[in-house]
Amino acid sequence: MSRANGMTDVEMLVELQAIYRLKGRRDHAVDQKDWATYAELHTNDYVAMSISSEPVIGGKAAAEALSVLLANVTTVHHSDTPVIDF
């Protein structure tokens, strides 16, 4: 069965699983303060709107900003209910 977006049900499930894994890796990188991995998981045109009052562009810049912002903070991410639309 093909959906309006042109993906089959199986293709959607495969892509959803890839997104879940990426999100989990990203959250784990933040919690472990593994800024190199965090940067690698984001594209150069990634725009973070919640790190500072100004947009932060790029994975490396976001990782650097978060490393300062979270230097003395313990984080524990729980990504139990993601909202993903195709």
Side-chain angles (χ1 to χ4, degrees):
M1 175 179 201
S2 183
R3 298 191 181 265
N5 62 15
M7 298 175 77
T8 66
D9 289 344
V10 171
E11 290 170 330
M12 282 185 60
L13 289 173
V14 168
E15 294 305 318
L16 277 172
Q17 188 61 35
I19 293 167
Y20 293 153
R21 290 183 53 75
L22 177 67
K23 175 75 166 109
R25 290 178 59 211
R26 176 204 171 272
D27 291 349
H28 187 74
V30 171
D31 294 342
Q32 297 298 310
K33 296 184 178 3
D34 180 352
W35 304 120
T37 296
Y38 182 90
E40 290 173 7
L41 295 174
H42 294 80
T43 60
N44 291 333
D45 60 352
Y46 165 73
V47 179
M49 301 297 292
S50 60
I51 296 174
S52 71
S53 60
E54 296 294 321
V56 177
I57 300 171
K60 186 174 179 182
E64 289 172 3
L66 282 174
S67 72
V68 172
L69 185 66
L70 300 177
N72 297 309
V73 176
T74 299
T75 60
V76 180
H77 284 80
H78 297 276
S79 301
D80 298 324
T81 55
V83 176
I84 300 171
D85 294 317
F86 287 91

